[in-house]
Amino acid sequence: MKKIIMAISSSLLLGGIATAQKIAFEEYTLDNGLHVILHQDNSAPVVITSVMYHVGSKDEDPNKTGFAHFFEHLLFEGTANIKRGEWFKIVTSNGGINNANTSDDRTYYYEVFPSNNLELALWMESERLMHPVINQIGVDTQKEVIKEEKNSRYDNQPYGRIIEAVKKNLFVNHPYRWTTIGSTEHLNSAKLEDFKAFNEKFYVPNNAVLVVAGDFEKNQAKEWIQNYFGPIKKGKEIVREKFVEKPITETIKATHIDPNIQIPMLATAYRTPSMKTRDARALDFISSYLSDGKSSKLYKKIVDEKKKALQIGAVAFNQEDYGMYILYGLPMTNFTTNDLLTEIDEEITKIQTDLISERDYQKILNQFENQYVNENSNVEGIAENLARYYLLHGDIELINQDIEIYRSITREEIREAANKYLKPNQRLILDYIPTPAKNEN
């Protein structure tokens, strides 16, 4: 599927140069609250139809986790007018592909079709929203699918529960404290009525944004959108509870035992601000500087030069309410996770004390500019970015302006962000270790 998407995306770049160009779009809202965004690009006969719902794992009941991700699977089961098992057949037989994904903050569905099948895509997405079939056979089937996914990708995968271990120690009040895949036990104990209630609450037009991007005729698209989505009833207003975490003032120390590994892993994690803030963007500079690839400071120093680690890296989670910056490493023989932590702290201290060089700053900025161009170089990327900026950032114009914010971040701001968020007493230090050997008598 990824190869097909890449092929379609590449076709859109033929004959062109990957330079940042302003993304034109039109937006409006239906009477039922569904927000619509149209981006017309007739350079290739491809159209993307996507719907992003403002529901993720953070919207779940603490005793019923995994629902948002579960629905990503469940809503392909069928509708009142699409028989069970027919969804993917319809898509592929009409030359299309489709997929979905879930995060802590949102759930995203999309279809990529030849442009002459836009009406089909709009009808299918309206069916998912208006006429989903949520019955026991579908629920039972997807429970088994989720169970297998959790076993293979997390529970039985070496280091597969590292994010789970970090989240449950880094967050106390916020629903970010559990993983998107959630708890198998919670899904098993849930009743059919629970799933129907979740759908009724969150899968409503006033909690979603529809994006059509690619080769289409606007007036015709608007007519189809009104015909298929207009009759859908507006849902009740969703009242979201705001969860606030107290600042971390003392180092959190935790241990997680993973029976699937032999080499211990260091994980140190910092809670960072919302992705909507300027500070989050300054921290992106730090993340790239320290740990983005083999040319980063940490990799060159700890892996290449001192050979203290088999691997060193980082994962930055930029999210709607809070973010996480997780640094991890696997020590070489004769070195410990504490040795790696010492090396990491030395580099962070340098950023907190001195300005990064102008050369390093420009290198990182170039990386961000290239990433920005690449993300907006095909209609699939544009469609998702339009939805994300509208739904999660509350500012769709950022699709054209976000790179300017990065360009305006100064080296002084980067140093200030390091001092504000990356202090040793404001983090989690997680010992992610193998099952301890039993003592022999």
Side-chain angles (χ1 to χ4, degrees):
M1 183 174 293
K2 289 184 178 179
K3 290 182 179 179
I4 297 174
I5 294 173
M6 290 176 65
I8 293 174
S9 301
S10 297
S11 71
L12 300 179
L13 292 174
L14 292 177
I17 301 175
T19 56
Q21 298 182 7
K22 185 174 181 179
I23 305 301
F25 59 87
E26 179 180 346
E27 59 177 325
Y28 62 97
T29 304
L30 300 184
D31 291 341
N32 58 17
L34 178 69
H35 199 72
V36 180
I37 303 173
L38 306 177
H39 167 71
Q40 191 172 18
D41 180 351
N42 303 118
S43 61
V46 176
V47 66
I48 283 77
T49 304
S50 68
V51 181
M52 184 176 286
Y53 295 89
H54 201 174
V55 56
S57 56
K58 75 175 183 186
D59 298 293
E60 297 163 348
D61 184 321
N63 298 311
K64 296 175 183 176
T65 64
F67 271 49
H69 173 257
F70 189 82
F71 266 79
E72 175 202 319
H73 291 257
L74 184 65
L75 292 187
F76 283 102
E77 278 283 313
T79 74
N81 296 301
I82 301 175
K83 294 181 180 179
R84 185 169 184 266
E86 292 295 311
W87 186 285
F88 294 103
K89 292 179 183 179
I90 293 173
V91 172
T92 56
S93 65
N94 284 278
I97 59 173
N98 68 173
N99 214 329
N101 54 71
T102 309
S103 75
D104 292 289
D105 299 315
R106 92 295 179 274
T107 307
Y108 186 62
Y109 303 84
Y110 66 89
E111 287 83 29
V112 184
F113 271 118
S115 53
N116 61 345
N117 279 321
L118 173 59
E119 184 178 13
L120 173 64
L122 290 170
W123 172 71
M124 293 183 76
E125 283 301 333
S126 70
E127 275 290 300
R128 194 200 307 272
L129 182 55
M130 184 188 289
H131 299 129
V133 173
I134 300 174
N135 56 23
Q136 198 61 53
I137 186 173
V139 167
D140 291 342
T141 299
Q142 294 307 321
K143 281 182 180 180
E144 292 304 310
V145 173
I146 299 298
K147 181 179 178 180
E148 177 58 32
E149 179 182 354
K150 191 171 187 296
N151 285 338
S152 62
R153 294 182 58 187
Y154 301 97
D155 295 348
N156 297 322
Q157 178 77 19
Y159 308 102
R161 301 183 70 175
I162 183 71
I163 302 301
E164 175 187 347
V166 168
K167 294 183 76 171
K168 75 177 183 180
N169 286 289
L170 202 59
F171 295 98
V172 178
N173 298 316
H174 200 284
Y176 286 161
R177 66 184 183 271
W178 58 79
T179 58
T180 304
I181 200 164
S183 165
T184 303
E185 291 75 18
H186 290 172
L187 293 177
N188 285 338
S189 64
K191 299 178 180 179
L192 183 61
E193 291 72 21
D194 296 324
F195 295 105
K196 290 183 176 180
F198 190 88
N199 180 81
E200 183 178 351
K201 180 177 181 179
F202 293 108
Y203 279 83
V204 292
N206 44 305
N207 194 45
V209 56
L210 166 68
V211 179
V212 177
D215 181 30
F216 63 92
E217 197 280 314
K218 278 190 178 182
N219 289 334
Q220 179 65 82
K222 289 180 180 180
E223 180 181 338
W224 286 333
I225 290 168
Q226 181 60 43
N227 289 344
Y228 293 119
F229 288 90
I232 302 175
K233 183 180 178 181
K234 184 176 184 178
K236 295 180 181 179
E237 182 182 355
I238 298 173
V239 179
R240 302 178 192 274
E241 184 177 354
K242 186 174 183 179
F243 298 92
V244 177
E245 291 285 346
K246 293 181 179 179
I248 300 171
T249 57
E250 295 183 2
T251 303
I252 303 168
K253 293 187 178 182
T255 300
H256 180 87
I257 297 174
D258 186 340
N260 302 305
I261 67 173
Q262 296 180 329
I263 300 173
M265 172 182 279
L266 163 72
T268 181
Y270 302 83
R271 191 194 303 147
T272 54
S274 164
M275 63 185 181
K276 294 181 279 190
T277 64
R278 189 174 178 88
D279 280 352
R281 293 170 172 85
L283 287 164
D284 284 342
F285 274 90
I286 296 172
S287 176
S288 182
Y289 175 80
L290 286 177
S291 52
D292 189 4
K294 294 185 177 181
S295 64
S296 65
K297 294 296 180 182
L298 291 180
Y299 192 95
K300 289 175 64 177
K301 174 185 177 183
I302 304 174
V303 177
D304 284 349
E305 297 173 7
K306 295 191 174 182
K307 303 188 186 308
K308 290 186 176 183
L310 290 166
Q311 184 178 351
I312 204 83
V315 180
F317 286 79
N318 292 325
Q319 300 176 116
E320 188 175 17
D321 297 339
Y322 292 97
M324 298 186 297
Y325 181 43
I326 305 171
L327 290 146
Y328 63 89
L330 300 176
M332 290 281 284
T333 304
N334 299 325
F335 293 100
T336 68
T337 55
N338 284 333
D339 293 325
L340 304 189
L341 184 61
T342 298
E343 297 289 351
I344 290 171
D345 283 348
E346 285 183 3
E347 293 304 312
I348 291 177
T349 299
K350 289 178 183 178
I351 302 174
Q352 292 170 331
T353 306
D354 304 315
L355 298 178
I356 66 172
S357 70
E358 184 62 41
R359 179 181 179 183
D360 284 330
Y361 172 83
Q362 193 58 53
K363 174 186 173 183
I364 299 167
L365 186 56
N366 290 342
Q367 291 174 347
F368 289 156
E369 291 176 340
N370 287 336
Q371 179 180 338
Y372 170 77
V373 171
N374 289 335
E375 287 181 349
N376 290 323
S377 64
N378 59 78
V379 289
E380 186 199 357
I382 291 171
E384 183 168 358
N385 283 334
L386 285 168
R388 176 172 58 89
Y389 281 123
Y390 169 78
L391 200 70
L392 300 183
H393 289 262
D395 186 357
I396 194 173
E397 290 291 346
L398 283 173
I399 196 167
N400 292 310
Q401 299 171 355
D402 206 16
I403 190 61
E404 295 301 329
I405 299 177
Y406 280 99
R407 288 171 179 155
S408 71
I409 300 290
T410 66
R411 293 185 295 154
E412 287 78 9
E413 286 180 279
I414 295 170
R415 182 174 60 187
E416 290 171 7
N419 278 290
K420 185 175 181 180
Y421 296 103
L422 304 184
K423 293 179 180 178
N425 66 323
Q426 296 176 182
R427 68 182 175 190
L428 163 70
I429 297 177
L430 175 70
D431 284 324
Y432 196 93
I433 61 174
T435 302
K438 294 181 179 180
N439 293 328
E440 297 182 3
N441 295 327

